[in-house]
Amino acid sequence: MSADFTYTKIREKLDKGTSAVDITKEALKNLKEDKCNAFVNIFEESALAQAKKADEMIKTKKQTPLTGIPIAIKDNICYKDHITTSSSLILKDFSSPFSATVVKKMLDLGAVIIGTTNCDEFAMGGSTENSCYGVTTNPHDKTRVSGGSSGGSAAAVASFAVPLSLGSDTGGSVRQPASFCGVVGLKPTYGSVSRNGLMMLSSSLDVIGQFGHTVSDVELFFSAIAQKKSDEMDMTTEKHTYKKGKETKKIGVPKSFIQKAKKETIENFNKIIENFKNDGYEIIDIDLPISSEAVAIYYVIQPAEASSNLARFDGIRYGNKKSGENLLEDYIKTRGSFFGEEIKRRITVGTYVLSSGYYDAYYNKAQLARQALTDELNKIFQEVDVILTPTTLTTAFEIGSKQNPVDMYEEDKFTVIANLSGVPAISVPMGKHQKLPLGVQCIARHNNEDILFNYGKKIEQYGRGK
Ligand code: GLN
């Protein structure tokens, strides 16, 4: 694999006459040589056919910025007549009968969808260890995780197998692996990218996110697939409008909120803040008392929604089935044998917090707290352009080191607030500790991705020591 396999270099080659078919062949070779277990399915035949179409588009001057670019998608985004499994045994060998809106868009723009990437089962987890295909290792150190749940998509870009990839972010699943693997990961505004064809996890939190090597690559990718009008197949989408020109150079830094991060993370983070200060930005110390409880709020709402969404996997409508003596036994055997441990845990918690007698005490209370958290952030955004935090507590952890589920949940401390409130957030590399990447998270108001990209580009320069 070559470190030249980036969006800019590939675009240059295509512009100078290299064919999309040749680029696709190089990408296919990368996928076959993948050492991180980042890929679960390779779409050789359809990728080469799509590359021919891309070459035709280039020849007839109908090309777009994505034409001829090989892109990987997370294994929970449907592509007609291709295997999509959410890395779960319950969907092993499931071939999707339709394509997601984003997939259709990418194909129309001439992008080459090259294969699917590994993830935590049904996107629940923070390490890709909960996958039926085994863990995706970190390209920087194979004893460590790539993060999750979109670990395969992050590792695919970090190892230069593909220049761009798609993930999904419900509580941090794009930003956390981006941080662990040293690439850029965007969780866009809720509703800005259609989720029609994304296997639903938690409907009020899920969003399709983008990975790339640079902020500009991610900006370009996001702009290409964001909804220009609402998608009739996804009622939660809205027309994505940039609101330009409101920057005040004011940055909110929640000092006490981030104090759980490790020393090395804080040191790197402080360097970035220093750089902003030297460039004339105003750093405002902000308090986030409600957001400090975000993990507790998230781990009531997320499992509640997941338990409802996953009810459809019963062996009757989709996927694998184990038969019993009657319908109830069919359900029990199918779900009992094909769902992994973490999925069962979430379904159990989710069903419990929604059950009569506990609904008010847990689910309703969490919804009220979620609204209070959103109000807290909105109030702060009246004063600042962005909120900066580290993306994760520290660098990628060792495979198998988080056996207690609550330890894994705590890893989501800084990321879940953006999902609970629906606002956009980006993770940008900010340097390394002992050769392992660290990321800084930048959070902005609804539909203010342009501000995120501006700040992200600055962070990128500072992170490289400029
Ligand atoms: N780690 C979080 C969870 O397990 C986030 C998952 C995600 O964003 N898909 O729920």
Side-chain angles (χ1 to χ4, degrees):
M1 281 175 227
S2 149
D4 267 0
F5 213 59
T6 60
Y7 175 80
T8 319
K9 289 275 160 65
I10 295 174
R11 189 76 267 155
E12 244 174 58
K13 279 192 185 171
L14 288 165
D15 290 346
K16 283 190 184 146
T18 305
S19 72
V21 168
D22 281 346
I23 298 285
T24 301
K25 283 184 183 158
E26 189 177 343
L28 287 166
K29 190 165 163 272
N30 291 343
L31 264 63
K32 287 175 193 158
E33 288 170 1
D34 163 36
K35 290 191 180 64
C36 308
N37 193 30
F39 295 93
V40 297
N41 271 299
I42 303 178
F43 302 150
E44 183 152 0
E45 210 179 301
S46 59
L48 286 169
Q50 175 71 7
K52 277 194 194 136
K53 194 180 133 197
D55 280 329
E56 213 33 58
M57 286 172 79
I58 295 170
K59 226 202 255 158
T60 52
K61 305 232 173 311
K62 290 199 181 105
Q63 79 197 68
T64 75
L66 292 189
T67 306
I69 304 294
I71 300 179
I73 57 175
K74 186 172 175 174
D75 188 31
N76 62 355
I77 299 173
C78 293
Y79 184 5
K80 189 174 181 340
D81 299 330
H82 291 71
I83 306 281
T84 312
T85 73
S86 268
S87 297
S88 175
L89 285 178
I90 209 160
L91 283 178
K92 199 107 198 267
D93 306 324
F94 171 77
S95 175
S96 176
F98 74 105
S99 286
T101 297
V102 277
V103 164
K104 281 196 206 145
K105 270 192 185 210
M106 292 196 306
L107 294 174
D108 286 348
L109 296 170
V112 176
I113 299 178
I114 196 101
T116 43
T117 53
N118 199 12
C119 58
D120 283 298
E121 184 175 6
F122 285 106
M124 281 181 263
S127 64
T128 320
E129 290 170 293
N130 304 335
S131 161
C132 71
Y133 304 105
V135 66
T136 296
T137 56
N138 192 301
H140 299 268
D141 177 349
K142 62 177 188 312
T143 67
R144 291 176 188 261
V145 302
S146 53
S149 64
S150 317
S153 296
V157 172
S159 63
F160 296 99
V162 288
L164 300 173
S165 63
L166 280 185
S168 63
D169 193 312
T170 303
S173 278
V174 167
R175 289 157 288 154
Q176 185 252 32
S179 175
F180 280 1
C181 292
V183 295
V184 178
L186 172 72
K187 172 238 174 275
T189 303
Y190 180 78
S192 61
V193 177
S194 169
R195 300 174 304 171
N196 168 44
L198 168 72
M199 287 181 180
M200 282 289 177
L201 170 56
S202 303
S203 314
S204 76
L205 302 161
D206 299 340
V207 48
I208 291 181
Q210 298 73 35
F211 290 94
H213 289 109
T214 65
V215 174
S216 301
D217 295 355
V218 165
E219 178 176 14
L220 176 147
F221 191 11
F222 167 70
S223 313
I225 62 172
Q227 283 301 125
K228 311 287 183 281
K229 56 181 178 32
S230 59
D231 180 5
E232 59 181 23
M233 300 300 286
D234 175 2
M235 304 272 284
T236 60
T237 51
E238 52 173 7
K239 177 169 168 265
H240 187 74
T241 36
Y242 277 152
K243 291 176 194 132
K244 288 220 182 255
K246 278 199 302 192
E247 276 183 55
T248 57
K249 283 196 152 191
K250 287 187 184 164
I251 300 175
V253 176
K255 268 204 198 125
S256 61
F257 175 65
I258 62 174
Q259 74 190 6
K260 276 237 166 92
K262 291 271 157 55
K263 191 168 143 271
E264 62 272 10
T265 313
I266 297 286
E267 275 169 14
N268 269 273
F269 180 73
N270 286 342
K271 275 189 212 150
I272 300 288
I273 300 298
E274 269 315 299
N275 274 300
F276 272 116
K277 256 192 211 162
N278 293 340
D279 271 352
Y281 286 74
E282 191 181 335
I283 309 296
I284 300 172
D285 188 11
I286 55 169
D287 243 356
L288 296 178
I290 301 167
S291 301
S292 301
E293 306 304 327
V295 170
I297 304 169
Y298 174 86
Y299 279 97
V300 171
I301 293 172
Q302 190 283 330
E305 295 185 5
S307 73
S308 314
N309 274 323
L310 294 182
R312 74 192 68 181
F313 299 103
D314 55 8
I316 293 182
R317 282 166 285 197
Y318 312 91
N320 275 336
K321 173 173 187 164
K322 252 195 189 162
S323 300
E325 294 293 308
N326 52 43
L327 185 64
L328 183 62
E329 261 190 33
D330 283 2
Y331 289 160
I332 294 171
K333 285 201 168 172
T334 301
R335 291 164 69 83
S337 0
F338 297 123
F339 276 148
E341 281 308 298
E342 183 58 27
I343 305 303
K344 289 180 195 162
R345 186 176 297 117
R346 303 260 182 135
I347 291 175
T348 311
V349 171
T351 313
Y352 180 80
V353 300
L354 288 175
S355 59
S356 109
Y358 297 99
Y359 183 94
D360 275 338
Y362 293 101
Y363 182 73
N364 237 355
K365 204 176 256 176
Q367 288 292 22
L368 292 173
R370 178 184 190 171
Q371 187 55 52
L373 179 150
T374 306
D375 295 345
E376 174 174 277
L377 292 182
N378 283 342
K379 196 157 167 246
I380 284 164
F381 280 130
Q382 286 174 5
E383 222 192 314
V384 302
D385 292 334
V386 292
I387 297 172
L388 289 192
T389 73
T391 308
T392 56
L393 301 172
T394 183
T395 53
F397 46 87
E398 279 173 8
I399 294 168
S401 64
K402 301 231 178 274
Q403 293 299 329
N404 180 344
V406 177
D407 289 346
M408 192 73 90
Y409 302 166
E410 282 298 322
E411 289 288 314
D412 303 331
K413 192 157 181 57
F414 303 146
T415 51
V416 290
I417 58 175
N419 302 79
L420 287 168
S421 57
V423 297
I426 195 167
S427 177
V428 182
M430 67 162 173
K432 285 186 177 172
H433 172 66
Q434 294 176 345
K435 298 195 179 140
L436 292 169
L438 280 162
V440 54
Q441 175 181 231
C442 190
I443 310 172
R445 290 177 215 109
H446 267 90
N447 289 335
N448 274 189
E449 276 82 357
D450 61 321
I451 291 186
L452 280 190
F453 298 139
N454 291 347
Y455 277 83
K457 286 171 196 168
K458 283 262 169 210
I459 296 167
E460 220 164 28
Q461 292 167 9
Y462 301 154
R464 286 198 209 105
K466 282 182 208 158

